[in-house]
Amino acid sequence: MSAPERIPPRSVSVTAAGPAAAALLARGELTVRGRIREASNAALYCTVTHEGHEAACVYKPVAGERPLWDFPDGTLAGREVAAYEVSQATGWGLVPPTVLRDGPYGEGMCQLWVEMAPGAELLALVDGEEPGPGWKAIGPAEVGEGRTALLVHADDERLRRLAVFDAVINNADRKGGHLLPTAEGLLYGIDHGVTFNAEDKLRTLLWGWAGEPLTQEALGVLEGLRSALTAAGPLTAVLAPLITPAEIDATRARVDSLLTTGVHPRPGTDWPAIPWPPV
């Protein structure tokens, strides 16, 4: 099967990303409509219907996951749901509603489909050594014929929140194609299967704030996460079935580290800092 040519209208949108959307994803009947060919693991475009409501969604069955040597425990689907739960705990709503459920090909992740707004510029290649007003530098990039350009991302508060979120969940694959701005002005991140590793694997395009002080908003959110991640905390209880105890401990340690340093993390030296390909 191939991805559909056109996404049909639906009655539940990502802007209604609350309990109703999650309930629809968890309880509704999944119907496979096509396969998303760009995905490295099995990713199916579906519709989900329940009690007269319908929405488009992505279903990634565990049976379609390719084993990864550096993520030997748990499942990619479980990590995707764990990322959603952390996003919800921040109050920022950076990940579309996501649940773990049974489907036509067994247990898997089911996530509300996000339709990206055309023309939203979050990444760019520019000439010169400085990014210019409204942009943050990522680093040089080869553009062919021996030429290089400066890869930049927008100096956007939505991206800055996502950079903090990625540092918390230890996202090893924040590419440009995983950033979905909507017509309503929201920004969502998707594809969180390679997250929560107990070792430092942060690999992202969002390095523009590296070393800069965290915002007061971010510090407040991190304080809330620290409270929610105590041994008896509500977020710890939610994450326990999804990732390992060592990964929960590491998440807690990353939150503590961010609060202690008070700055956005800098790229490490033991792991490629920028994903390839970047988009």
Side-chain angles (χ1 to χ4, degrees):
M1 291 182 293
S2 61
E5 291 290 325
R6 177 178 176 274
I7 306 304
R10 53 196 182 278
S11 60
V12 175
S13 71
V14 74
T15 56
L24 173 62
L25 292 172
R27 302 171 189 165
E29 180 180 354
L30 276 178
T31 302
V32 177
R33 303 296 186 184
R35 181 165 185 168
I36 301 171
R37 287 175 286 187
E38 297 84 0
S40 56
N41 294 278
L44 304 173
Y45 173 78
C46 303
T47 54
V48 57
T49 57
H50 183 66
E51 296 182 347
H53 297 284
E54 178 178 284
C57 61
V58 177
Y59 162 54
K60 297 181 181 180
V62 172
E65 296 180 3
R66 297 178 182 178
L68 299 173
W69 67 268
D70 51 347
F71 287 84
D73 301 312
T75 65
L76 304 186
R79 296 172 193 281
E80 294 242 31
V81 179
Y84 167 69
E85 294 295 348
V86 173
S87 167
Q88 289 298 97
T90 66
W92 284 335
L94 299 170
V95 179
T98 311
V99 302
L100 194 65
R101 58 160 293 169
D102 195 31
Y105 299 102
E107 185 178 62
M109 178 278 281
C110 188
Q111 184 176 82
L112 199 66
W113 181 271
V114 175
E115 198 158 348
M116 186 170 65
E121 291 191 17
L122 297 174
L123 298 168
L125 286 167
V126 298
D127 293 325
E129 299 181 355
E130 297 297 330
W135 296 92
K136 289 283 189 177
I138 302 169
E142 295 184 8
V143 293
E145 299 181 354
R147 291 181 58 246
T148 61
L150 185 64
L151 181 62
V152 299
H153 66 68
D155 187 3
D156 186 311
E157 190 60 37
R158 300 171 302 170
L159 286 180
R160 191 166 190 172
R161 290 172 176 173
L162 200 58
V164 176
F165 170 71
D166 283 343
V168 169
I169 67 172
N170 198 16
N171 193 349
D173 196 32
R174 175 61 74 203
K175 296 178 179 177
H178 301 166
L179 304 172
L180 302 181
T182 73
E184 296 81 9
L186 303 175
L187 178 66
Y188 293 96
I190 61 169
D191 286 346
H192 297 112
V194 286
T195 51
F196 294 101
N197 201 296
E199 299 180 6
D200 182 17
K201 291 186 179 291
L202 182 59
R203 187 167 60 174
T204 175
L205 288 178
L206 305 180
W207 289 116
W209 297 281
E212 292 187 16
L214 294 164
T215 65
Q216 287 301 310
E217 178 194 44
L219 291 171
V221 165
L222 290 167
E223 287 287 2
L225 288 179
R226 177 151 65 182
S227 297
L229 282 167
T230 59
L235 185 54
T236 299
V238 170
L239 295 179
L242 301 170
I243 57 177
T244 68
E247 289 165 341
I248 294 175
D249 288 343
T251 303
R252 188 179 297 123
R254 288 191 296 271
V255 171
D256 287 341
S257 177
L258 287 166
L259 283 168
T260 299
T261 64
V263 300
H264 287 267
R266 294 178 174 86
T269 57
D270 298 330
W271 181 254
I274 296 177
W276 188 262
V279 177

